[in-house]
Amino acid sequence: MAPPEAREAEFPMAHGCDHSLHKTIHHHGWDRDNAPALRVAPGETVEFDTVDASGGQLSPGSTAEDIGRMDFGKVNPVTGPVFIDGAEPGDAVKVTILGLAPSGWGWTANIPGFGLLADQFAEPALHVWSYDTAAMAPAAFGPGGRVPLKPFCGTIGLAPAEAGTHSVVPPRRVGGNMDIRDIGEGTELWLPVEVAGALFSVGDTHAAQGDGEVCGTAIESPMSVALKFELEKGAAPAFPRFRTRGPVTRHLDGAGYDVTTGIGPDLMQAARDAVSQMVELLSTRTGMAAVDAYMLASVAGDLRISEIVDAPNWVVSFYFPRLVLE
Amino acid sequence: MAPPEAREAEFPMAHGCDHSLHKTIHHHGWDRDNAPALRVAPGETVEFDTVDASGGQLSPGSTAEDIGRMDFGKVNPVTGPVFIDGAEPGDAVKVTILGLAPSGWGWTANIPGFGLLADQFAEPALHVWSYDTAAMAPAAFGPGGRVPLKPFCGTIGLAPAEAGTHSVVPPRRVGGNMDIRDIGEGTELWLPVEVAGALFSVGDTHAAQGDGEVCGTAIESPMSVALKFELEKGAAPAFPRFRTRGPVTRHLDGAGYDVTTGIGPDLMQAARDAVSQMVELLSTRTGMAAVDAYMLASVAGDLRISEIVDAPNWVVSFYFPRLVLE
């Protein structure tokens, strides 16, 4: 890994940040012993360039066959880590998402063995997206529909206290691969620090995703991200929390929603039932293949818990925005 | 039970429906052998008056002590049942919510032993609400905050196929106590028919509630509900589904959200963690008692599943609309 100052010079710093990190400065596991790629003072800003979640294994010319050839040891790279001066266990790092500069291409896949309905969708599938980074108009989905875009950081977090390398796939108390649709421009995020310097990294940027990311992938799209770091001493939350600057679904909700439900004593099964029915509804209505409906649901539809108190049965609902198909 | 025609004469029919059912025509359990209170043809409309979820045991003058004296055999009455001509098992009944006429008062309680955080909130608590039915402006919460109103039917469903009386508390495949915040004016709801005539009932009307209904109660508020019934032969969905006429959160989202998360391998625990932290955040910020923050979260905040695919850990988020406290 080259010294940070050498890498910084390569990068255009489009957001006018104090620092920048090139996308080659990335890692695949969280580890308290990873050497910092950059050191910043609280109040400073950093622009991160990111690699897409395939780790560069997919490109605009890829096909479904390439999904089967992927090396999963290379997925979900995160750019970093950044050492934040003065950060100690028990503090909160407040990260403000200043902006995202999307690349204009992305991919959504059904990856065998991965996703909420992995048992129903065993074959690989891939949709490659192209979108206009100036207009950021809804992006066309080949089999039908147009998906409003809202870029955000799928993976954003800190190194956990436990020694060793921890997979980048699951999220944890310190954040990571949370895939929260609303960690986009203007959002302020508080993360609990567990190691000296916090060791912040970010990646897995998405051009759009619904709550749940039900097929396992979003519109996976490399982009650069401008972030501001602040330190709140002794203010570590138990889990990450955040504040959105404004509404979070107005890009989607204008025509209302079609909603399916799952009802029963297990939230996971209820979520599966709700999504299975939406896949059936969308494919019946449009004629698209079930796996395409599943991928479309993943990038545009939202999983909500409607009721979690009327024992023994809970209600999980899947909201699909009608404007996607209008 | 008086013959339906005698009861209809008592009721004002404010929505100009074909039929009406007085609130005294109610039952407390779902049973395929309940005698129909009314028989309608597909295409007809019915106005239902409802009793609040306490079954009339609470009133605008009630206090927390009254919670401890409640007879839980009388809770959650539903008005009905209505026999829909021609409905047979395997059909769908499509119900359109034409309108709701709220009463102007309501209550929210912490009921010991009930609610997502029942282990943390063992003492009864009650907040009585008063709101202007003409303006329907946000309603003041005594300990702090104003809650935007959006009336809906908490319990709406059909009789299940299995013989016997089934508790009205849990929802089922045929609907019932689903407590879905968006089954309000303009929504079209499809319910699967399991018995001849469908045997539809409705009640448990709410002036406002967040997704999840986390403390176990909403703004429980009696109101009348005007509904239209249609029949779709052989079109029973596996679980209820619905379509909203337009956006579902614009009454709440104008100032953005404060969001807490829970992260881990169990969705229920993650939901509990997210809500516990929001209760702490709201009570710390405002100085209100934790149980008040819990009730405020229940009537205004939304539980969403942000990520359900990054095994082994899922992310459940609790969204609290900032305008409630601004």
Side-chain angles (χ1 to χ4, degrees):
Chain A
M1 191 180 283
E5 58 275 20
R7 297 290 184 172
E8 285 189 48
E10 298 176 14
F11 198 73
M13 303 220 301
H15 288 98
C17 290
D18 299 317
H19 307 272
S20 63
L21 276 182
H22 193 270
K23 64 186 177 185
T24 55
I25 311 292
H26 64 241
H27 56 99
H28 291 87
W30 298 99
D31 193 326
R32 60 176 298 156
D33 293 324
N34 280 342
L38 178 69
R39 190 163 182 147
V40 302
E44 290 190 318
T45 60
V46 181
E47 180 159 1
F48 298 78
D49 201 18
T50 70
V51 187
D52 76 284
S54 78
Q57 297 180 81
L58 299 177
S59 66
S62 294
T63 66
E65 286 68 45
D66 296 312
I67 300 295
R69 288 192 282 265
M70 279 172 62
D71 174 356
F72 289 95
K74 294 181 179 171
V75 302
N76 225 45
V78 283
T79 304
V82 172
F83 186 101
I84 297 153
D85 281 339
E88 295 291 341
D91 296 342
V93 165
K94 178 182 171 188
V95 186
T96 302
I97 319 296
L98 301 175
L100 301 102
S103 58
W105 85 277
W107 58 271
T108 301
N110 181 56
I111 299 171
F114 192 59
L116 183 61
L117 305 179
D119 53 333
Q120 296 176 36
F121 295 100
E123 297 300 317
L126 178 70
H127 179 73
V128 173
W129 305 78
S130 173
Y131 59 90
D132 180 337
T133 59
M136 287 300 279
F141 184 63
R146 296 183 71 81
V147 175
L149 302 178
K150 185 178 171 188
F152 70 98
C153 308
T155 303
I156 183 166
L158 307 179
E162 295 86 348
T165 299
H166 305 270
S167 167
V168 78
V169 174
R172 298 180 180 79
R173 288 186 312 272
V174 283
N177 192 18
M178 299 187 287
D179 287 319
I180 296 174
R181 193 260 318 276
D182 300 319
I183 300 185
E185 187 175 333
T187 291
E188 299 166 306
L189 170 68
W190 287 262
L191 296 167
V193 177
E194 294 194 358
V195 301
L199 297 182
F200 174 93
S201 301
V202 65
D204 187 30
T205 45
H206 297 161
Q209 182 204 294
D211 286 332
E213 201 189 21
V214 297
C215 91
T217 57
I219 299 182
E220 307 290 333
S221 184
M223 55 189 84
S224 66
V225 185
L227 304 177
K228 179 179 182 180
F229 296 96
E230 293 168 282
L231 193 58
E232 299 188 2
K233 296 301 290 182
F239 290 94
R241 70 177 178 87
F242 60 98
R243 172 177 283 181
T244 76
R245 192 172 52 186
V248 297
T249 50
R250 292 198 182 188
H251 61 306
L252 294 167
D253 69 6
Y257 293 90
D258 275 309
V259 187
T260 49
T261 66
I263 300 176
D266 180 70
L267 290 167
M268 178 60 76
Q269 185 58 45
R272 286 170 48 83
D273 286 336
V275 174
S276 292
Q277 287 169 91
M278 184 56 75
V279 167
E280 185 181 346
L281 190 72
L282 295 178
S283 56
T284 301
R285 189 169 292 169
T286 63
M288 70 175 69
V291 71
D292 289 325
Y294 180 42
M295 292 192 288
L296 185 60
S298 187
V299 300
D302 291 334
L303 267 181
R304 299 183 183 180
I305 299 176
S306 294
E307 173 277 297
I308 194 168
V309 293
D310 298 323
N313 291 341
W314 327 126
V315 178
V316 176
S317 298
F318 189 74
Y319 281 63
F320 187 84
R322 292 166 60 191
L323 59 67
V324 169
L325 292 172
E326 282 184 354
Chain B
M1 190 180 284
E5 59 274 20
R7 297 289 184 170
E8 286 190 45
E10 297 174 15
F11 198 75
M13 302 217 307
H15 288 100
C17 291
D18 299 318
H19 307 273
S20 63
L21 276 181
H22 192 271
K23 65 185 176 185
T24 56
I25 312 292
H26 65 241
H27 56 99
H28 291 87
W30 298 99
D31 193 326
R32 58 176 298 154
D33 294 323
N34 280 342
L38 178 69
R39 190 162 181 148
V40 303
E44 290 191 317
T45 59
V46 181
E47 180 160 358
F48 298 78
D49 202 17
T50 69
V51 187
D52 76 283
S54 78
Q57 298 180 81
L58 299 177
S59 66
S62 293
T63 66
E65 287 67 43
D66 295 313
I67 300 295
R69 288 191 283 265
M70 279 173 63
D71 174 355
F72 288 96
K74 294 182 178 170
V75 302
N76 225 44
V78 283
T79 304
V82 173
F83 185 102
I84 297 153
D85 281 341
E88 296 290 342
D91 297 342
V93 166
K94 178 183 171 188
V95 185
T96 303
I97 320 295
L98 302 176
L100 300 102
S103 58
W105 85 277
W107 59 271
T108 301
N110 181 56
I111 300 171
F114 192 60
L116 183 61
L117 305 180
D119 54 333
Q120 296 176 37
F121 294 99
E123 298 300 317
L126 179 70
H127 180 74
V128 174
W129 305 78
S130 173
Y131 59 90
D132 180 336
T133 58
M136 288 298 280
F141 183 64
R146 297 184 70 81
V147 176
L149 302 178
K150 186 178 170 186
F152 70 98
C153 308
T155 303
I156 184 166
L158 307 179
E162 295 86 348
T165 299
H166 305 270
S167 167
V168 79
V169 174
R172 297 180 180 79
R173 288 186 311 272
V174 283
N177 192 20
M178 299 186 286
D179 288 318
I180 296 174
R181 194 262 317 277
D182 300 319
I183 301 185
E185 188 175 332
T187 292
E188 300 167 305
L189 170 69
W190 286 262
L191 296 167
V193 177
E194 294 195 358
V195 302
L199 297 182
F200 173 93
S201 302
V202 65
D204 186 29
T205 45
H206 296 161
Q209 182 205 292
D211 286 332
E213 200 189 22
V214 297
C215 90
T217 57
I219 299 184
E220 308 289 333
S221 182
M223 55 189 84
S224 67
V225 185
L227 304 177
K228 179 179 182 180
F229 296 96
E230 293 170 281
L231 193 58
E232 299 188 1
K233 296 300 291 181
F239 289 94
R241 70 177 177 88
F242 60 97
R243 173 178 284 181
T244 75
R245 192 173 51 185
V248 298
T249 49
R250 292 198 181 188
H251 61 306
L252 294 168
D253 68 8
Y257 293 90
D258 275 308
V259 187
T260 48
T261 66
I263 301 176
D266 179 70
L267 290 167
M268 178 60 76
Q269 185 58 44
R272 287 169 47 82
D273 286 336
V275 174
S276 292
Q277 287 169 93
M278 185 57 74
V279 167
E280 185 181 346
L281 190 70
L282 294 178
S283 56
T284 301
R285 189 169 291 169
T286 65
M288 70 174 71
V291 71
D292 289 325
Y294 181 41
M295 292 192 287
L296 184 60
S298 187
V299 300
D302 291 335
L303 267 181
R304 300 184 182 179
I305 299 176
S306 295
E307 174 276 298
I308 195 169
V309 293
D310 298 322
N313 291 341
W314 327 126
V315 178
V316 177
S317 297
F318 189 74
Y319 280 63
F320 187 83
R322 292 167 60 192
L323 60 67
V324 168
L325 292 173
E326 283 185 354

